[in-house]
Amino acid sequence: MEKIRLGKTDVMVSRIGFGGIPIQKSSEEEAIRIVSSCFDLGINFFDTSRVYTTSEERIGKALAGHREEAIIATKTVSRTAEKIAEDLATSLKHLGTDYVDLYQFHNVSTEDDLKTVIAPGGLLDVVRRAKKEGTVRHIGITSHRLDVAKEAVKADCFETIMVALNFVNTEAADELLAMAKENDTGVIIMKSMAGGMLENPVLAFKYLMRFPNVLPLIGIAREGEMEENIRIVEADEPITEDDQREMDRIRKELGTGFCRMCNYCQPCPQQIMISAIMYTRVAITRFDPKRIFEGEWNTFMEKVPDCIDCGECEERCPYNLPIRERIKEAADNYAAAKKVYREKRGR
Ligand code: SF4
Ligand code: SF4
């Protein structure tokens, strides 16, 4: 499979990378088979995170024996030096390795968050030390907020940036890609399929392949799926007029009702995690049910009744989403799905 250079890391990565979210839902055996088959097909970039429950461990097991050929990227959501050091040690243990190729600050979502990460003597220095010691080879950052991502690229202290880009969420294509090129920052793309909202991989990849130096990640939930994606990527077919019409139609259809997870609606005075809550319906289909119904998602959903109806979030949302109504709907759907989950588990 064709390889591209991931910016100043100088690492050569396969034209598309493996996204480690959906394998949490499979059995361990199946997950290992999925990862191994992707490696056999020529995928060498595997992205996961400390918060994707079983994902690190499964990727580690599948790639044992191929460590030198595989590029493993993971992330931390922690924002204290002690917790980051602890997260890195846990990731190394779960991945069964003594180094990660790329260690990323996960979901840096506000300017203050970014400042905390890059402040002298702060969190970035913890990871830089790990780099010196050899447990981390390269340092990156991920963000759902384009303004924060641009600031991160401007700060020029990360070797990679991960942002959302797909044909319904094209904002990153306008300025960020040029800025990253200028600084030689490697660009990794999340939400290639708009977090599960897009169902046509042909259109999704035809759009993304227009950007020659970015690495789109694709979450794989079943064997054979990656093969299909590789075929589309390698066919390298241009966008036809029919494709363009279909993209416009989908954009229009999703246009008013679709949360881009950009987090411009934050901060919420009640600390409600709006974008995560808006994503609940898809998360239920993609994540480990234990995480959704017993882990952190519970905490997100429990906050919904704290909404004081101030409407500040809706004023900030560039897509005019009826956020208050949507988070209440999401909470009701979540409660119903949780009831089914508990009944199945007999409690
Ligand atoms: S309306 Fe509710 S969710 Fe939105 S900012 Fe106010 S408290 Fe937060
Ligand atoms: S609700 Fe609006 S502002 Fe908030 S994450 Fe979704 S699209 Fe962005």
Side-chain angles (χ1 to χ4, degrees):
M1 151 155 261
E2 186 202 343
K3 290 206 169 72
I4 55 167
R5 176 179 165 273
L6 190 59
K8 62 183 88 176
T9 67
D10 263 336
V11 173
M12 296 303 288
V13 294
S14 44
R15 191 64 192 82
I16 47 177
F18 181 93
I21 292 177
I23 50 163
Q24 297 172 88
K25 284 274 282 182
S26 314
S27 68
E28 178 168 292
E29 213 176 59
E30 196 187 355
I32 292 173
R33 263 204 318 271
I34 292 171
V35 178
S36 303
S37 65
C38 289
F39 178 82
D40 292 342
L41 286 165
I43 301 297
N44 74 347
F45 187 91
F46 296 83
D47 181 77
T48 179
S49 171
R50 192 69 292 286
V51 293
Y52 303 161
T53 60
T54 51
S55 173
E56 287 184 326
E57 212 167 342
R58 293 169 172 198
I59 288 177
K61 284 184 182 166
L63 298 176
H66 300 295
R67 184 63 194 94
E68 287 305 312
E69 302 127 90
I71 313 298
I72 300 180
T74 192
K75 320 184 190 81
T76 177
V77 290
S78 295
R79 298 292 185 265
T80 65
E82 298 72 30
K83 267 304 272 163
I84 289 173
E86 207 180 286
D87 278 356
L88 176 58
T90 311
S91 290
L92 293 173
K93 189 169 147 230
H94 285 188
L95 287 161
T97 180
D98 50 12
Y99 70 94
V100 288
D101 297 276
L102 178 64
Y103 200 58
Q104 302 157 101
F105 288 92
H106 195 166
N107 192 15
V108 176
S109 55
T110 62
E111 280 178 27
D112 283 348
D113 200 7
L114 178 63
K115 276 186 198 146
T116 312
V117 169
I118 62 180
L123 307 180
L124 185 56
D125 286 349
V126 177
V127 186
R128 281 180 174 147
R129 253 195 318 276
K131 190 174 171 183
K132 266 197 193 136
E133 287 160 4
T135 48
V136 164
R137 294 211 166 154
H138 301 284
I139 305 173
I141 185 167
T142 84
S143 183
H144 289 282
R145 281 233 346 219
L146 201 54
D147 54 344
V148 176
K150 282 184 198 163
E151 283 304 312
V153 172
K154 234 190 265 168
D156 203 14
C157 38
F158 301 98
E159 293 162 275
T160 63
I161 179 94
M162 186 189 292
V163 288
L165 178 65
N166 52 64
F167 69 82
V168 291
N169 186 7
T170 60
E171 288 91 342
D174 298 336
E175 216 182 322
L176 183 111
L177 294 189
M179 286 172 67
K181 192 171 174 205
E182 180 87 23
N183 283 359
D184 199 21
T185 308
V187 179
I188 304 169
I189 298 301
M190 60 172 147
K191 309 271 177 280
S192 300
M193 304 292 290
M197 302 286 179
L198 304 180
E199 281 159 2
N200 184 337
V202 177
L203 288 185
F205 281 115
K206 275 189 174 181
Y207 173 78
L208 288 170
M209 288 303 121
R210 290 168 41 200
F211 308 103
N213 297 313
V214 305
L215 169 66
L217 300 180
I218 179 88
I220 299 293
R222 59 172 174 82
E223 273 184 278
E225 218 175 305
M226 186 57 102
E227 229 164 330
E228 210 174 304
N229 293 320
I230 291 175
R231 249 196 315 274
I232 300 164
V233 168
E234 293 190 330
D236 195 22
E237 284 172 354
I239 297 174
T240 63
E241 279 179 21
D242 281 352
D243 293 335
Q244 197 57 61
R245 262 195 298 276
E246 180 61 2
M247 285 186 204
D248 291 343
R249 187 193 66 75
I250 295 171
R251 250 184 231 125
K252 214 165 155 194
E253 190 181 288
L254 292 173
T256 51
F258 159 52
C259 173
R260 269 80 171 169
M261 302 190 78
C262 59
N263 283 332
Y264 286 117
C265 47
Q266 293 293 350
C268 159
Q270 298 298 94
Q271 285 87 45
I272 295 173
M273 302 289 283
I274 297 166
S275 59
I277 293 165
M278 303 281 254
Y279 189 63
T280 303
R281 189 179 58 78
V282 179
I284 289 173
T285 65
R286 302 189 67 194
F287 292 162
D288 179 359
K290 205 162 174 215
R291 175 180 171 200
I292 297 291
F293 298 116
E294 297 181 37
E296 59 179 340
W297 226 273
N298 246 328
T299 357
F300 300 157
M301 304 313 290
E302 277 165 5
K303 295 285 289 173
V304 175
D306 294 351
C307 173
I308 50 170
D309 254 337
C310 68
E312 287 176 21
C313 53
E314 292 178 15
E315 276 166 33
R316 291 193 204 104
C317 175
Y319 306 100
N320 300 320
L321 298 188
I323 296 174
R324 288 171 282 185
E325 190 186 309
R326 288 292 177 80
I327 59 174
K328 282 172 197 141
E329 266 169 34
D332 290 344
N333 292 339
Y334 176 81
K338 188 171 171 180
K339 190 163 170 258
V340 174
Y341 170 78
R342 296 185 90 152
E343 278 165 6
K344 271 195 197 151
R345 294 177 65 96
R347 61 196 162 95

